[in-house]
Structures are given as structure tokens and as C-alpha cells.
Amino acid sequence: MTDVTAAPASPARKTTSLYEVSARTRRRNAAEKRFRFYGLSAVLLGLMALIVLLSSILSQGMPAFRQTYVVMDVELRADKLDKNGNRDPADMAKLTTFAVAPLIKQATQTVATELGSDIEGLTDKMVGAMISKEAPGQLLRFVRANPELIGTTQSFEFLANGRIDGYFKGRVTHESAEMDNNISVQQLDLADAMVAEGMMETRFNWAFLTAPDASDQRPEAAGLGVAILGSLYMMMVVLCLALPIGVASSIYLEEFAPQNWLTDIIEVNISNLAAVPSIVFGILGLAIFINFAHLPQSAPIVGGLVLTLMTLPTIIISTRAALKSVPPSIADAALGLGASKMQTVFHHILPLAMPGILTGAIIGLAQALGETAPLLLIGMVAFVREYPAAPPEGLFDPATALPVQVYNWTQRSDPAFFERASGAIIVLLVFLVLMNTLAIILRRRFERRW
Amino acid sequence: MPGTWLFLILVTLSVLGYIMGHRKAVSVSGGSNRVMHSLLPYHGWNVGLATFLAGLFVMVVAALGRALMGVADGNNIALSVLTLAGACAAFYVTHARIERGYRARDGVEKMIRVILILASSIAILTTIGLVLSMLFEARNFFGQYPWTRFFFGTNWAPNFRGDSDLGMLPLLWGTLYVSFIALMVAVPVGLFAAIYLAEYAGPKLRAVAKPLLEVLAGIPTIVYGLFALITVGPILRDVFAIPMGLGESASSVATAGLVMGIMLIPFVSSLSDDIINAVPQAMRDGSFGLGATKSETIKKVVIPAALPGIVGAILLAASRAIGETMIVVMGAGAAARLSLNPFEAMTTVTVKIVSQLTGDTDFASPETLVAFALGITLFVITLGLNVLALIIVRTYREQYE
Amino acid sequence: MNDMRIVERDVDTQAIKFDCENVQVYYGDNHAIKDVNVRIESNTVTAFIGPSGCGKSTFLRCLNRMNDTIDICRVEGKLSLDGENIYDRKVDPVQLRAKVGMVFQKPNPFPKSIYDNIAYGPRIHGLVDSKADLDMVVERSLRRGAIWDEVKDRLHAPGTGLSGGQQQRLCIARAVATEPEVLLMDEPCSALDPIATAQVEELIEELRTNFSVIIVTHSMQQAARVSQRTAFFHLGELVEFGKTGDIFTNPKDPRTESYITGRIG
């Protein structure tokens, strides 16, 4: 301790009053305030981004849940529908939409003469174009199902054309109609008149959730039915494969695996797999499941397998955390009673870790549900109008998936599809919110503090 | 699908194995657990599991053999017969061995162990599958197209009639440019948000803001893609690009970068938050005790102490930005271009993987196969970043343990 | 008591450094410090002793307003340093802490070099103008911390690489570098081995020539060895305060007597 005495004497202390805040301190406090302000702005910026994102999607997508319908009487003329007059189902099956189109045309002309007489420049063709191109098909299905009604006049509810629908949702205005080849101001005036007569109304659109996709020409008929079913099938596959495999693999790694290089490799491998870009899994799916194993393209089974491989690391990581959180004293107690390691794990540790495992599984599923990129590569962007059959065969039928349907619609030209894409996002987000709520409830309900 | 039916038959056979094994064990022991080595249900499990595993094993081996030898797909009968024969043999052997001293539980536990090991090996198989599938097709690609032109070519102009330019540099440039903008958004905002929430915010604000920020991380990327396409793109074009005369495209590097930055905010902030919280309170106390203000403490003590971890978090975020697909597909455009203008449409590696592998594809042409070469490049880059990040983060954690 | 070496040093009556009147501290609803009155003199080592949870550390942390960092903590009463109320609204805690330094229970060197650890305080408070000045301050502080000879050849090695005792002396040197008037020490030896403890205790005695030192300790022997004044806290109250010799040989309060003879605590 000799160096203390050698220490140079300290310079005389400045004796300053605490009550006087020095200029330097003021500067430092200003810097402190600025720093704090940056931090708060960053938090607010993040929250604002969330609000803008959600409100933009909500405001763009809500109209997709409402749809404009036209109610009109159509005379099911026997001379057009059943020339032989015998109501033979075989003849009915041969009918085409060309045969029924004149009936709709006739009905629309009646409407035009009733309501459109004082609208200048309104042509019959314009009136006909106000009905969705889906209408003849709808009429045909009705006739085939009810041949006994041929010859009568029935009231039908047809979808209005996408642009007329857009008029009632504010997407189309008189100004925009003047510049648009696909819609005219006269049609909009007639639409207003039809609303006044109760022949046209905009109401909740169940078909958006149940109908299949529709072609480029008829956005008003496009629905999410096939996509929802396809996503559901894929989630079934993921749940049936990823959960058992993930749990089994976690149990092995956490409870049984010897400490050696192989285990190390598996562990490093899993944490790396969790960060591999999802598109790379799509390449794997394409190369292995489709080109090598010859599974069908666009099938939920392939999508499910790809998503399983993708979610597996997430599930393994969360399951291992859940297993780790069970205190070793419980395992010791069971082992002390003479239970085998296997019995200890399956009778004690696994049940106690179950809530955590399920929470992780749901979060993994939610991640899989929103994944798009790998599905593009295995052909799920295809245009599918047929509902897949019931599982297990249905797993091999072509289908689409919710997020892919969104992408698909954004690639089309009619702006009405953008509204539907946003609407589909809302459906997707509702599913995700439900799943996450379930995960939170599970966690709250069964959370244990050891 | 005959495969499905075969599998269902196998499951039925296994259930039958359980029931018969259990029955025989009951009759051998007279219904008492005490006289047997293993509890009665274990004998049932032993038969059932052995049947199932044997059948599955034969089925997988036969199917693999069939695929490798190139036998036609229709030849399912031999496979079914082999599978069921294997299953029945295992059934018979295990069933016949049931007696008082038979250690059925050991057998069951061994088989469960095998199942667990098989499950763990799937992760490894996935990686092997990833690498092999891409390597195999990429080799085909490099057989048709010189690798120097791929890695160092500055022109990307695929042409499905052949004679394409497939230089990767414009794609790599687009990828790096978009990722750079994304990190310029995400790192400051995420880092400052993490600092504020960890060091300044009261418990109430933290309880609200933290989960809300994490919501951003749970939103699927397709949602961000749509947001870029219908909201951010047009706004950037009308507010910046057109008035400044920098272009008229709604899809641009700036659009994709900005939206991707928003997506990465929670990623950076939650990783940084963990890392900042791992800095011991004693460090902060030491600094406060010397008369440092909070921001001085954060800037000069907390951040330097947490720096390796934060760098690791940023590397992970970068790897995620490079591999992100949907936002760039919908927000960045499809034109391969080497340009500095952020308001111009550019394209990335992931966009081109999607565009070369969707639609009509011909797995013999270099225009399709190039996607696999791009894929393996992407895989190697992201893997490198992840491994580096994990090493940095791990050494950092050890420092405080 | 027989193994206790009570150093009876003659302490002249010194100037009052800290004057505390009716100090109350609350943690939420918990009344942690009840009505404490104490006068701490300059150039003196004052020891705070008492059983765990008696409030001695809490009180220590009031003296440089370290409790400000805890949201639910509330301090009432008058605490003045050289006649100035340190809880006055005009007082900036940052300036106060430059005057009242602190050393913690566990050595907490920053993960920087030894040099940067010492230079941290002078840098943030703007005490030096040049590199040469800073070098001088670092050397002087390290000498005062009685660690100069051990580290002078590796000033740019990380401070976390030193042994526990060296780390604690580094932390003391770091606290001294800002030229404080008072040095608060919160159980500075509890994480150290006996040899390192002896070195730190010797250092405390030497620091007294320049600073007024307040030390919280669990060990009565340590209090007896290093301090001239001792305050005994019990259940948030200051039970007895006086010359160390008096407290240990002739306690007035029965609670003090029970504690130092080992019956409570």
C-alpha cells in the first residue's frame, strides 16, 4: 500500500453549490431528454405502422363482405329450354348457357323499358351488362334442378356486375365511369333507379366465404370457399405430422439423447432450419415431393408436407422449452419410485408440459397458415373452381390456400379483385387472431409457476 | 390412393396386434400383473408396435427401392404384399414370445426409442433433402450454363426460346439494396423502441406496447405484400418519386424496403430487448452511482456491453430480409436492374426463384434450372449469416453466465 | 467481544457533512425508514450496522439519491449536504452523485478497459480537458485505489479480467476519480475473500484523509476495525449512533447490546 503515499495530491476541489445547475449539466439533461424522445418516437412509430397497416387493410377489405344483387323476374320459356316438351333430364343436361342467355336478356329488357325510359342513351346491351356473367350459369343450374318449373315465371336474385357493385361501394363514380369503357353513366343512373324500386340491394355476402374462385371477368362471383378448404386440409396435415414428430423429436433431444457430436449436429441443424427462408422449403417441395415422389401439383398434401417441415423447428424449439420448464424434482420423484425413464417422461413430464407444447403448436400452425412463398412453387397458385373431396382422397385434389388466393387476386387486372384480396386478408387475420387467442387462453389457464 | 389404404390396413393390423398380445398376456398370467415381468398392456403394445414398425420399415424401403430403380409407379401390388408380409412376420414372432418371464416393457421402450430417434432424424433429413435437391438441379444448370457467367454476369434476360443471359449480379444487387433499406428502417426504430421499453417505459406502457409491437411479427408476409402493393407503393410514388422526377413506378426498392423494415421492427426490438435485459443491473447502478444520466449509461455502458448480441440480432434480421419473398414479389417489381435510384422497380433473388418456377416449367432448360442455382446461393448466404449470428450471440450469452 | 480489535482513534470534532433530520422512506405502502436523525462528519469513516432488512442500505442509497431510479420509492424529511438540501427541486441528482460517489456490494467494473473504467466519470462530468490530464487523473485514482502497481502495465486490458479483490479496488478507484466529497460503500467486502477484504479495509482507512466515508457492513468486526462512528439500525429505525468504541463497549440501548452480543440479527 505504499503507492498511496506516493499519490499526487489532488487539486483543490471546486466547491460548487448543488443548487446551481451547471451549464454542462443542463446540456447533459437536454441530451437526456432528446434521447428519451427518440425512444418514445420509435415506439410510437412502430405502433403507428401497425395501426396504418391494419386500418388500410380493413378499410380496403370490408366492402368485400357486402355484395350487390339484382332481383328480377325471368320467364322460363319452354320454347327455349325444352323444345321437345318432355322435360327429359338428358336433354336438360345438354342445355348450355347460350340457351338461357336470351331469357335473361329478355328480363333485362323488361326492366329497361319500365325504369330506363327517361335515361338518355341507355341501350339494351348496357342493361344486360349490368348483370354478372355468372347469371346464365346460375339460371341453368336452377332449370336443371327444377325442370317442372319450365314455362313459369320465377323471381331470381343475380349478382350485379363488379362495377355496378363498385358504384355502391364508392369504387366507381360518375366521373370515373365517363373514362371507363366497361361502365357507362347511364348504367349507374339505371342502377340508382333500380335501388329506388327495390330491385337492387347491397347486403352481406356469404358467398365470399363459400363460393369458389371465379375468372378474371367476374370478380363479383369470386369467393374463398376452395381456399379456406385447402388451408384447412393443409393445417390438418401439419397438425397430424408436425405435432407428433415435433414432440417425439423434442422428447428424444431433451430427455434421452446422449451428449455427443450427433446430438450437437441435430441441435445446430434445428436452429438453422428455423431461419432458412421459407421459399427454400418450396424448392424442396418441388424437387422432392413433386418431381421425385410424383405427388400431384396443387394438392393440399404437398402443401401440408412442405409446411410441416417448415414448422417443425418452431414446434421443436417451443416443446423443448416446455419440457425444460418441468422441474427435475418431479422426474427424480418418479425415478426414485422405480419408474423407468420412459415411464417418467410419458407419465409425468409430458402431461405437465402439455399446455406449453400445445401453445407452441398453435403458434407454429398460425405461422404455417399465413405462409405463401413455398406454396407458390408447388403449384397452389392454380385457378381451381372445384371443391376438393372429403379427406383423405381430397388431400390429393387440387386446391388453393388463403394467402395464395390473396396473391392470385392481386395479379389480376380488375380493381374489384384488390378489394377481394383485402377481404381475404381479413378472413386470414380473423383465423390468426382466433388461433392466437386460443394459445393465450391455454397459457393463462394452465400456466404454472414452479 | 393405394398408399393410404395400405397404411390404414397396417394400422388396423397393429391395433389387432395390441388386442391379441394383451389377450394372450392375460391368459398366460391368469389376469394378474404380478406374475409377469412386465405389466399386461406392455405385451399388447409390444406386438402392436413391432407390427407397425416392421410394416412401415418394409414399406419405406420398398418404396425407396422402387423409386431409385425406376420401376413404374403402378407396381403397387408387390409393395403391398411385402409390407403386409413384414408386418405379419413381426406380429407372429412377438406374439409367440409372450410368456411370464418375457421382458415386454424393455422391447416396447426400445421401440419407442427408435421412433423418437427417427423423429429427430427428420430435421437432419430435411436439411439433407434441401441441399441435395438444390445441388442436383443446380449441377444440371451449371452443365448447361457456365458458372462464371451466372455468378459474375451483370445482365439478367431469360428467354424461353433459349440463349438467355442469366447473370445473378442484378438480382443480388436488388436483394442487398432492399435489405439495406429495410435494415435502415428496422434497426434504428427497433433498437430505440427496445431501449425505450426496457429502460424508460413505465410498466403500463410496456404491458401495452410490447405485445402490440409483437403483433407486427405475427402478421403473415402476404399482408405486408398487399400493404406494399395497394398503400405504400402508390403513396411513395405520388409523394416522392413523381415530384422528384425519379420514376413513375409504384413497385420500387423503397416500397419493398420500407414495408420489410416495418416487418423487421419487432424482430430487432424483441431480440435487442432480451439482450439489453441480460446486461446486469449492477452495470447500470455502477454508472448511475458515478453520476451518469440514464442516456449516458445506455449509450456508454449498456449498449457497448450488449453490442455483440445486438450485432447478432441485426445479422439475423438481415438474413430474414434477404430470404423474404412475398413483400418483394408484390412490392419491388420484376425488372432486373443495376441502379441506385430507390424509386425504381428492381428485382431480387427470391422474386426470380418464384417467377422461374411458376407457370409452365421445363426442367431441362437452364431458364428453369437457374432457380435452383439461385436457391442454393440464397441458402448459403442466409445460412452463413445465421451461423455467424448464432456464434456471436452464444459467446455473448456465455459472458454473463 | 474479546476477539474484536476496536481501534480507538482520536477523532477531533469535524465539520458536519451530512445532516439528516426526520428522514422517512416508503416503498409503496411499506414504511422502510422511520424517522432517522443522524449527522455525518467529514474525514470520518461512519459504519452502518444492523440485521438484514433493517434499512441501512436503503438509507445509504438515499444519500446520493440512487433510490430515484426505483419508481415506487418515496423519501421525506431533510437531508442536507454541506447545508444544502439534496432533495431540493433545484438539485440535479447527476451533480449530486458526482459529489457523493458510491461503491457497490459486488464489484461491477464496466466491460471496458481498466483505463476506460476510471476515465468514465471524469469524461461524463467534463473534469478533464486533455488526454494528458486524463492520464494523470487515471494514474492518481488508481494509486488512491491502491491498485496502480498491479495494473499499470495493462491499463488497456479489460477490467472484468481482474480478480474479485482487484475489481473492487478498481471500482473504488473509479468512484474516487470524479473527486467526490463523500464515498458511500454498500457492503464492499461481502463478495471478497479475507485477504482482499483486508486490503480494502486498509484502503478505506487511507481514503479517510480525503473523503468522508460511509460504509454499510454486515460484519461487526469490520465496523469495529474501520470506523470511527457507528450507527445501529433495527427495523427501519436508527437505534443508536455514536463513537464506534462507545457503541461496541458501552451500548446504551438494550437492542444494540443484544445485536452486538449476537442475540438478535
Side-chain angles (χ1 to χ4, degrees):
Chain A
M1 297 286 145
T2 46
D3 47 351
V4 174
T5 46
S10 66
R13 256 186 219 117
K14 291 177 277 179
T15 43
T16 47
S17 164
L18 281 173
Y19 292 158
E20 290 164 24
V21 177
S22 70
R24 185 180 175 84
T25 310
R26 266 199 295 275
R27 262 202 317 279
R28 290 170 60 198
N29 284 338
E32 168 77 20
K33 274 210 187 87
R34 271 200 307 279
F35 190 79
R36 205 186 159 115
F37 171 76
Y38 296 149
L40 186 61
S41 343
V43 174
L44 294 179
L45 215 63
L47 295 182
M48 213 179 66
L50 178 68
I51 291 168
V52 172
L53 172 72
L54 289 182
S55 57
S56 132
I57 298 285
L58 278 182
S59 65
Q60 305 250 11
M62 282 321 274
F65 292 92
R66 296 175 65 74
Q67 196 67 45
T68 309
Y69 292 89
V70 179
V71 185
M72 53 171 57
D73 293 331
V74 178
E75 190 193 353
L76 303 175
R77 280 160 55 187
D79 60 313
K80 290 278 182 192
L81 296 171
D82 189 16
K83 292 192 180 93
N84 303 333
N86 56 10
R87 308 287 189 268
D88 182 358
D91 285 351
M92 297 285 145
K94 280 185 207 151
L95 279 175
T96 62
T97 47
F98 287 111
V100 296
L103 304 181
I104 296 174
K105 199 174 173 194
Q106 193 183 0
T108 52
Q109 276 163 2
T110 321
V111 173
T113 43
E114 277 172 20
L115 297 173
S117 48
D118 46 345
I119 299 173
E120 209 171 301
L122 185 73
T123 63
D124 286 350
K125 206 177 159 194
M126 283 185 189
V127 182
M130 289 172 65
I131 311 282
S132 167
K133 292 195 174 66
E134 192 74 7
Q138 186 187 345
L139 191 62
L140 194 60
R141 280 195 297 279
F142 179 83
V143 171
R144 280 181 186 153
N146 310 288
E148 70 282 359
L149 292 177
I150 289 177
T152 62
T153 298
Q154 296 290 325
S155 174
F156 282 92
E157 199 170 58
F158 295 127
L159 285 164
N161 176 289
R163 285 195 166 67
I164 298 292
D165 180 50
Y167 175 55
F168 292 107
K169 293 171 181 170
R171 203 170 59 230
V172 175
T173 60
H174 280 83
E175 290 77 43
S176 76
E178 280 172 20
M179 290 178 289
D180 191 341
N181 290 332
N182 295 309
I183 188 87
S184 64
V185 179
Q186 289 84 351
Q187 287 173 313
L188 299 186
D189 290 339
L190 181 62
D192 282 331
M194 288 171 82
V195 171
E197 284 294 309
M199 290 176 68
M200 195 179 262
E201 62 162 347
T202 309
R203 56 178 163 74
F204 189 76
N205 180 15
W206 274 114
F208 181 58
L209 296 176
T210 56
D213 193 8
S215 72
D216 226 355
Q217 300 300 314
R218 33 193 148 168
E220 63 276 5
L224 288 169
V226 175
I228 291 179
L229 216 53
S231 278
L232 195 72
Y233 283 10
M234 286 196 298
M235 291 306 108
M236 268 165 41
V237 174
V238 174
L239 192 66
C240 291
L241 290 177
L243 186 60
I245 296 177
V247 171
S249 140
S250 316
I251 289 176
Y252 180 72
L253 291 175
E254 200 57 46
E255 308 287 345
F256 295 103
Q259 278 300 324
N260 59 19
W261 59 272
L262 191 66
T263 312
D264 277 354
I265 287 183
I266 296 180
E267 293 196 359
V268 170
N269 184 43
I270 286 171
S271 56
N272 279 326
L273 268 187
V276 167
S278 61
I279 182 112
V280 174
F281 284 95
I283 298 181
L284 168 87
L286 178 65
I288 305 266
F289 297 132
I290 293 180
N291 286 357
F292 182 69
H294 298 292
L295 287 168
Q297 281 219 339
S298 316
I301 183 81
V302 181
L305 286 172
V306 169
L307 294 180
T308 298
L309 296 183
M310 215 190 74
T311 27
L312 210 49
T314 317
I315 292 186
I316 292 179
I317 290 168
S318 62
T319 303
R320 290 188 67 182
L323 291 174
K324 222 177 256 168
S325 73
V326 177
S329 59
I330 288 178
D332 291 347
L335 290 171
L337 290 172
S340 70
K341 180 80 185 171
M342 200 66 82
Q343 285 170 322
T344 307
V345 170
F346 282 92
H347 296 170
H348 300 283
I349 299 179
L350 196 56
L352 289 172
M354 219 46 190
I357 294 173
L358 289 180
T359 312
I362 293 171
I363 288 168
L365 269 188
Q367 186 195 336
L369 180 63
E371 194 52 61
T372 324
L375 301 182
L376 297 181
L377 300 192
I378 54 163
M380 297 203 79
V381 265
F383 176 66
V384 183
R385 262 184 79 79
E386 299 293 322
Y387 294 99
E393 283 84 5
L395 295 177
F396 295 87
D397 289 344
T400 57
L402 264 177
V404 183
Q405 190 70 68
V406 174
Y407 171 70
N408 205 339
W409 282 343
T410 61
Q411 301 300 303
R412 304 202 184 163
S413 51
D414 194 320
F417 277 114
F418 279 49
E419 169 193 297
R420 287 191 128 60
S422 302
I425 292 274
I426 294 177
V427 175
L428 179 64
L429 289 179
V430 167
F431 279 123
L432 291 181
V433 167
L434 289 179
M435 289 166 88
N436 281 300
T437 315
L438 187 65
I440 291 170
I441 290 173
L442 262 179
R443 192 155 41 196
R444 290 261 162 87
R445 192 86 193 264
F446 297 102
E447 191 174 52
R448 246 179 253 248
R449 296 221 177 266
W450 302 99
Chain B
M1 283 315 275
T4 321
W5 286 114
L6 184 60
F7 188 76
L8 286 179
I9 293 173
L10 186 58
V11 170
T12 321
L13 206 59
S14 308
V15 172
L16 202 69
Y18 172 82
I19 295 170
M20 291 189 49
H22 190 249
R23 269 216 194 138
K24 185 171 175 197
V26 171
S27 72
V28 165
S29 65
S32 160
N33 267 325
R34 285 194 210 169
V35 295
M36 303 291 276
H37 167 271
S38 307
L39 295 177
L40 297 178
Y42 278 112
H43 292 275
W45 278 110
N46 192 30
V47 178
L49 276 174
T51 309
F52 183 75
L53 281 179
L56 200 66
F57 179 73
V58 175
M59 188 156 83
V60 169
V61 168
L64 265 181
R66 191 183 64 179
L68 289 176
M69 289 187 301
V71 179
D73 276 351
N75 197 355
N76 275 318
I77 299 165
L79 187 141
S80 309
V81 169
L82 278 174
T83 304
L84 294 182
C88 290
F91 189 127
Y92 179 78
V93 170
T94 44
H95 188 261
R97 284 168 72 183
I98 295 175
E99 52 174 42
R100 293 201 170 188
Y102 183 50
R103 299 176 166 239
R105 196 185 77 196
D106 293 359
V108 170
E109 296 198 343
K110 262 188 205 125
M111 281 187 281
I112 291 181
R113 222 182 155 101
V114 167
I115 292 176
L116 297 184
I117 292 174
L118 284 181
S120 312
S121 63
I122 284 185
I124 292 263
L125 288 178
T126 307
T127 310
I128 295 174
L130 279 174
V131 173
L132 282 188
S133 64
M134 287 191 295
L135 268 186
F136 182 71
E137 303 282 9
R139 208 192 57 192
N140 280 347
F141 170 70
F142 289 121
Q144 300 180 32
Y145 194 91
W147 64 272
T148 42
R149 270 181 77 196
F150 171 71
F151 284 111
F152 303 112
T154 54
N155 190 23
W156 175 271
N159 183 348
F160 274 85
R161 272 155 305 179
D163 195 26
S164 318
D165 269 334
L166 299 171
M168 192 191 64
L169 287 183
L171 311 185
L172 197 61
W173 167 247
T175 303
L176 295 180
Y177 200 179
V178 171
S179 308
F180 174 74
I181 293 181
L183 290 180
M184 290 313 285
V185 174
V187 170
V189 175
L191 198 53
F192 267 108
I195 289 172
Y196 189 83
L197 290 179
E199 305 278 340
Y200 287 103
K204 271 185 199 148
L205 177 64
R206 196 162 40 229
V208 175
K210 245 186 112 159
L212 276 182
L213 276 184
E214 268 153 30
V215 167
L216 278 176
I219 293 178
T221 56
I222 180 83
V223 183
Y224 286 100
L226 192 68
F227 182 55
L229 184 72
I230 61 181
T231 311
V232 178
I235 290 178
L236 285 185
R237 177 191 59 199
D238 297 340
V239 176
F240 295 102
I242 292 180
M244 288 156 78
L246 288 172
E248 287 169 0
S249 170
S251 350
S252 66
V253 174
T255 306
L258 179 62
V259 174
M260 202 190 281
I262 294 174
M263 181 191 84
L264 292 177
I265 290 173
F267 196 73
V268 175
S269 77
S270 65
L271 278 176
S272 314
D273 191 54
D274 291 350
I275 290 158
I276 289 170
N277 281 327
V279 175
Q281 183 62 30
M283 294 283 145
R284 296 183 180 84
D285 281 348
S287 176
F288 293 146
L290 289 169
T293 64
K294 224 166 183 176
S295 63
E296 286 162 348
T297 305
I298 294 165
K299 280 187 279 193
K300 296 193 175 134
V301 177
V302 177
I303 297 289
L307 198 61
I310 291 173
V311 170
I314 293 172
L315 285 182
L316 281 181
S319 136
R320 187 160 273 217
I322 288 172
E324 173 50 44
T325 310
M326 290 324 290
I327 295 177
V328 282
V329 165
M330 295 166 84
R337 188 178 275 142
L338 278 165
S339 157
L340 275 174
N341 179 356
F343 294 103
E344 223 167 341
M346 271 179 234
T347 197
T348 68
V349 174
T350 49
V351 172
K352 285 303 158 193
I353 294 178
V354 170
S355 69
Q356 300 311 102
L357 286 180
T358 47
D360 291 327
T361 48
D362 167 13
F363 283 92
S365 73
E367 288 77 16
T368 300
L369 291 176
V370 68
F372 293 95
L374 289 173
I376 202 146
T377 315
L378 182 69
F379 181 74
V380 168
I381 294 176
T382 50
L383 190 71
L385 281 174
N386 290 333
V387 170
L388 193 62
L390 285 179
I391 291 172
I392 293 178
V393 170
R394 196 170 285 177
T395 31
Y396 164 75
R397 290 246 165 83
E398 279 159 7
Q399 193 184 324
Y400 289 114
E401 268 165 13
Chain C
M1 293 292 298
N2 46 7
D3 62 326
M4 232 180 246
R5 176 174 64 99
I6 297 173
V7 187
E8 195 54 63
R9 297 180 199 84
D10 225 22
V11 184
D12 308 325
T13 313
Q14 302 274 3
I16 302 295
K17 211 62 193 160
F18 264 115
D19 189 2
C20 309
E21 283 173 29
N22 307 326
V23 177
Q24 323 276 346
V25 179
Y26 302 88
Y27 279 115
D29 295 332
N30 179 20
H31 197 170
I33 297 285
K34 295 165 193 156
D35 212 20
V36 168
N37 292 286
V38 71
R39 289 178 164 191
I40 288 160
E41 295 155 42
S42 62
N43 299 81
T44 317
V45 177
T46 307
F48 290 175
I49 60 168
S52 298
C54 66
K56 55 195 190 301
S57 280
T58 303
F59 185 67
L60 187 80
R61 291 168 69 94
C62 290
L63 297 177
N64 72 343
R65 294 184 57 174
M66 277 296 278
N67 284 334
D68 287 17
T69 55
I70 300 161
D71 293 330
I72 54 164
C73 182
R74 204 168 82 244
V75 178
E76 286 172 9
K78 196 182 139 224
L79 284 119
S80 52
L81 174 65
D82 292 330
E84 295 177 320
N85 184 1
I86 61 170
Y87 280 86
D88 193 282
R89 285 183 55 190
K90 283 178 287 189
V91 174
D92 195 302
V94 163
Q95 275 180 315
L96 170 69
R97 287 179 204 147
K99 278 192 170 185
V100 185
M102 189 155 187
V103 174
F104 297 84
Q105 194 170 356
K106 249 181 81 185
N108 55 352
F110 302 134
K112 301 167 178 279
S113 70
I114 292 168
Y115 185 95
D116 285 339
N117 261 284
I118 305 295
Y120 183 79
R123 277 187 183 138
I124 56 172
H125 291 291
L127 301 181
V128 287
D129 304 317
S130 66
K131 176 82 173 71
D133 266 5
L134 190 59
D135 288 347
M136 238 171 64
V137 170
V138 169
E139 183 182 340
R140 184 171 64 229
S141 309
L142 285 170
R143 281 188 193 279
R144 279 184 176 168
I147 191 179
W148 171 251
D149 288 341
E150 289 156 71
V151 301
K152 66 182 174 205
D153 300 323
R154 47 172 173 152
L155 287 177
H156 295 282
T160 41
L162 299 171
S163 73
Q166 287 174 323
Q167 284 190 8
Q168 193 63 302
R169 279 180 283 144
L170 177 70
C171 290
I172 292 171
R174 185 177 69 184
V176 165
T178 55
E179 297 292 339
E181 295 168 22
V182 183
L183 209 52
L184 308 179
M185 295 187 167
D186 191 355
E187 300 184 34
C189 300
S190 66
L192 305 184
D193 62 40
I195 295 170
T197 301
Q199 286 170 325
V200 171
E201 284 178 6
E202 204 172 325
L203 175 59
I204 290 171
E205 171 56 25
E206 278 148 7
L207 289 172
R208 184 166 77 93
T209 50
N210 282 306
F211 312 96
S212 135
V213 178
I214 305 173
I215 176 171
V216 164
T217 173
H218 251 114
S219 145
M220 281 176 280
Q221 288 89 337
Q222 186 175 53
R225 283 195 298 267
V226 301
S227 70
Q228 290 83 47
R229 296 284 182 271
T230 295
F232 171 64
F233 285 81
H234 185 58
L235 300 176
E237 285 175 57
L238 176 64
V239 176
E240 200 169 339
F241 176 64
K243 287 186 176 167
T244 301
D246 293 347
I247 297 277
F248 280 98
T249 52
N250 191 14
K252 293 190 187 68
D253 195 287
R255 284 173 294 178
T256 317
E257 192 181 355
S258 317
Y259 181 69
I260 57 178
T261 53
R263 268 179 285 154
I264 57 172

